[in-house]
Amino acid sequence: MKQVMFDNMETIPVRCSVRDFVEFLLRNGDLDSRSGRKDPDTMREGAEMHRRIQKEQGPNYAAEVMLSHTCLVTYGRHTFSLTVEGRADGIITIDDTMRADLPNEALVFSDVPCAIDEIKTMLRDVNKLTAPLPEHLAQAKCYAFFHCMKEEIERIAVQMTYVTLESGKRRYFTEFYTKEELSEWYFALCREYAKFEEWTTEHRLARDASIRTLGFPFEYRPGQDSLVKDVYRTILRERKLFLEAPTGVGKTISTVFPAVKSMGEGLTEKIFYLTAKTITRTVAEETFTLLNDNGLVFLPITVTAKEKMCVLPKPDCNPETCPRAKGHFDRVNEAIYAMLSTLVENNSEGISDDNGTVGDGSASDGESTAGSENISVGGSVAGESTAAQKGKLFTRALILEYAERYQVCPYEMSLDVALFADAVICDYNYAFDPDVYFRRFFGGEIRKNYAMLIDEAHNLVERARDMYSAVLVKEDFLLAKTEMTFYAPAARALQACNRAMLKIKQDHEHFAVLESFDELYMSLMRLMGVLDTYASENNSSLPELTTELFFNVRHFIAMYDESDDHYRYYCDYREDNRFYVCIRCMDPSRQLEQRLSLCRSSVFFSATLLPIGYYKQQLSGGTEDYAVYAESPFDSDNRLVLVADDVSTRYTRRTDDEFRKIAGYITDFCAAKKGNYMVFFPSYRYMTAVADILFETPGLRLLQQESSMSETAREEFLRAFSEEHDDTLLGLCVMGGIFSEGIDLTADRLIGAVVVGPGLPMVCNEREMFREYYAERCDAGFEYAYLYPGMNKVLQAAGRVIRTTDDVGAILLLDDRFMKSAYRDLFPREWENCLRVNRSTLPHVLGDFWERKGRK
């Protein structure tokens, strides 16, 4: 729900957009993923069609009119000043001088003074629509009521203008309403909305009271109090913070605690804790639980992937396959409210069904409120005292329970429940991915008081580049064509796309950077129209391969619409010789900023956010934003960092002699002290070559990471580092892989790590394209394309050693490039005393270290 500001206990202001108001209260029917592209209006072609239609209208047509209405709604023990606002596509003033020129015949013969025009664009043929979609009509009815109240109009028309994107064909639906009819309809919605707002208010009162008395749950580590203040000041001043936070700083509690405190001060409406990995989501959950155990009344929710929440073996969201999809939207609000009611101490006898009363008042436009209606509803959701019950949180189990009870989709229900959560813990995708982001939070242009806490932020650069890129493979169109032979229009459209791809292929036998995909784009647009029409008219799912292609094409079109000079287009061939075209995002900062600008403040933090200037640029930081390097609380004497510069992982040096030299360093490193070690290699091939030699070494028990490991296999791999054993355990892993970050092997579970090479990405056409792009932009092509991504993998891998204040461990870096200034400049401050070694000095240096630490 929207933010509630507690100015006093008499009237609580609440603001909501027309779209959010209608979509939450009036959604109905089935959950169905077969209906094609959901939001063509948000696409470039939809927006252009809107503007074109508006420009065609005469002087009696006012476009993009801001309308709003405020009324007082009493529910339980609270009175809300509810303002619902939005922008009407158009208002048509109808008089006798222009009536005959109206394209809508229903308005020509009407006697109303004006009409609200709501324009909706779609891919399907609009002539096959039999009625306006209910949620579309409801939005227009809201605007019609607001305009009636503002202009004191007793009767008004609503014109629904539906447009087929490709052809521009239009279809009108017209409805006529009296102000009294609209008033009764609208205030009934306000009463339903207030029911949920009452629950939200009661929870927030209890939450904010608990925040005021909440203290930091630990004794501050050195520098941690300053870090907490830095985060709070960043939120207060509405800035971004880029935080290099070495392991042991306590970055999760140091960011979550001040964000929670900011909510108690009314600065923050909702916290989004974004991360890339399950392990860090778990840490965030544990942190909020810790604060709740210390007296906080707080409701976080973790958004779990659809595949893990679905009741079917494989998600298939349509009413023919999933019984819960049938009528899902008819039941989901009831399920949500029932679940919410279990999370408060309900001292009342229930909720009254009184209809309430509506007093006199008037509406307002977007600038001011000329008066308000008064709606009174009896009953209370919470009585005089409300607080989250002990152990009652938005858990996965609770959502599954109520989804089962009301027979709704648990995944979709969890997304709706997030509206009522104080914090949302989720993957980056839900904030930034153009296909799956939370439209309910980030779908408009209105800035909200959200605080973004972005964990492991170094991962966001590559993830964002991938999110805003798109690929299509030529052969996929032929495979889909074989599936769609039963529907001739689709088969022809797929063949047309294949021909457009073939033309590009014939013009370019090898990798090539292209100027545009305009011809292919037009074929893809026609294909989307055909497939959308098929799905809508036949109420049937597309075949599996065609469905996958449908979503790939939709994403490709969206990214082509989005692309600018931060993008490059190219074509190339995969290893299996399949031809593909790619829209590659080179710099994601603009797209990230579009989303982050809707939030009050963002905090990016990681143990490896070096160089911080690079990450600020890529993650949309400005000159006014902050950067902080938190000092490690660990004793630097507990960590030994060594560099051997007489070996190299360069491709020209990848010989059997070099592999044996690397293996020799590894065995010497492990021989200094029995225990658990990990080695991180630049690739699986390199790891295999060295592993073949290490298997000949007596006294070493080897575990080797595989290219695709099940969750069970991963757990077994890590479990081996917890078991008691008499030999030395050596785990062979790949840099940037599943074991190189996000795992905690504390104390003797891991006492040393060897990092083989600086982790530079493999030279390829796309990587070279990045190098050229950034060479032109900032004269740092090699650094942006190779050095910074590679060294981040090194720092992450080495960071597996020393996880707590009591840990003692050694790190060995193997490659001559680690001694070059460009690489050493990227070492964290904690590595400033690293030592240079060779095969002859290594055993002595390690022996002295372990003896000095009493671990020999």
Side-chain angles (χ1 to χ4, degrees), residues 244-306:
E244 163 72 15
T247 301
V249 167
K251 56 186 173 64
T252 306
I253 188 64
S254 299
T255 53
V256 166
F257 178 76
V260 169
K261 279 291 190 180
S262 74
M263 295 187 81
E265 295 298 322
L267 301 176
T268 299
E269 173 182 349
K270 194 181 292 287
I271 298 169
F272 288 88
Y273 193 102
L274 309 179
T275 181
K277 296 183 181 295
T278 301
I279 184 66
T280 42
R281 287 197 288 275
T282 302
V283 173
E285 291 169 348
E286 292 171 347
T287 301
F288 283 114
T289 299
L290 171 68
L291 293 176
N292 277 349
D293 289 344
N294 279 267
L296 178 66
V297 177
F298 205 80
L299 291 172
I301 185 172
T302 299
V303 178
T304 306
K306 180 186 290 188

Side-chain angles (χ1 to χ4, degrees), residues 524-539:
L524 295 174
M525 284 293 295
R526 287 189 285 271
L527 171 64
M528 290 297 288
V530 170
L531 294 179
D532 187 74
T533 297
Y534 170 80
S536 301
E537 293 179 357
N538 294 278
N539 197 29

Side-chain angles (χ1 to χ4, degrees), residues 401-614:
E401 175 189 341
Y402 277 85
E404 168 71 21
R405 186 179 301 180
Y406 287 86
Q407 286 296 290
V408 295
C409 170
Y411 174 73
E412 291 293 331
M413 180 179 170
S414 73
L415 301 185
D416 290 332
V417 171
L419 290 166
F420 301 90
D422 300 308
V424 181
I425 305 167
C426 59
D427 189 87
Y428 299 151
N429 289 345
Y430 292 98
F432 301 116
D433 190 292
D435 294 329
V436 302
Y437 74 93
F438 270 131
R439 283 169 173 79
R440 65 200 71 204
F441 298 121
F442 309 114
E445 298 179 356
I446 300 174
R447 184 175 174 276
K448 311 287 179 61
N449 282 323
Y450 298 155
M452 286 272 204
L453 306 181
I454 304 171
D455 198 356
E456 302 293 348
H458 63 277
N459 286 310
L460 184 56
V461 175
E462 288 294 338
R463 282 283 300 276
R465 287 174 179 170
D466 289 342
M467 288 176 194
Y468 302 118
S469 298
V471 173
L472 290 176
V473 179
K474 177 184 175 297
E475 285 73 14
D476 290 347
F477 291 92
L478 295 177
L479 291 173
K481 181 185 173 185
T482 62
E483 286 188 329
M484 296 298 295
T485 52
F486 62 88
Y487 187 62
R492 288 194 296 269
L494 287 161
Q495 182 58 38
C497 293
N498 178 64
R499 284 195 298 269
M501 293 277 282
L502 180 61
K503 185 177 186 303
I504 300 172
K505 180 179 179 181
Q506 290 172 338
D507 292 341
H508 305 283
E509 296 183 0
H510 306 288
F511 170 86
V513 177
L514 307 175
E515 290 296 321
S516 76
F517 288 128
D518 286 350
E519 186 176 338
L520 173 62
Y521 176 86
M522 296 306 299
S523 297
L524 295 174
M525 284 293 295
R526 287 189 285 271
L527 171 64
M528 290 297 288
V530 170
L531 294 179
D532 187 74
T533 297
Y534 170 80
S536 301
E537 293 179 357
N538 294 278
N539 197 29
S540 175
S541 297
L542 295 167
E544 184 175 0
L545 295 178
T546 307
T547 297
E548 184 177 350
L549 180 63
F550 175 91
F551 289 112
N552 289 340
V553 169
R554 183 178 70 174
H555 182 66
F556 192 94
I557 289 172
M559 293 305 97
Y560 197 64
D561 289 341
E562 180 75 16
S563 60
D564 56 12
D565 61 352
H566 291 85
Y567 281 79
R568 292 290 183 268
Y569 311 136
Y570 74 87
C571 62
D572 203 355
Y573 295 78
R574 292 186 169 173
E575 290 184 1
D576 58 5
N577 206 38
R578 291 196 300 161
F579 179 76
Y580 70 93
V581 294
C582 180
I583 302 170
R584 168 48 73 177
C585 175
M586 309 298 289
D587 178 356
S589 58
R590 179 179 62 83
Q591 287 88 344
L592 293 175
E593 176 57 23
Q594 286 176 350
R595 193 77 72 244
L596 294 170
S597 65
L598 299 176
C599 304
R600 178 188 184 94
S601 180
S602 303
V603 180
F604 300 83
F605 53 102
S606 168
T608 58
L609 212 58
L610 297 174
I612 211 158
Y614 164 74

Side-chain angles (χ1 to χ4, degrees), residues 733-752:
C733 308
V734 174
M735 267 187 279
I738 53 177
F739 300 120
S740 65
E741 62 176 290
I743 62 169
D744 279 313
L745 298 173
T746 58
D748 289 339
R749 294 179 65 193
L750 186 69
I751 64 170

Side-chain angles (χ1 to χ4, degrees), residues 30-34 310-327 407 539-542:
D30 303 335
L31 177 63
D32 198 338
S33 61
R34 301 172 300 183
C310 187
V311 296
L312 300 178
K314 182 179 180 181
D316 190 0
C317 301
N318 76 77
E320 294 180 3
T321 305
C322 179
R324 297 198 187 186
K326 182 70 174 176
Q407 286 296 290
N539 197 29
S540 175
S541 297
L542 295 167

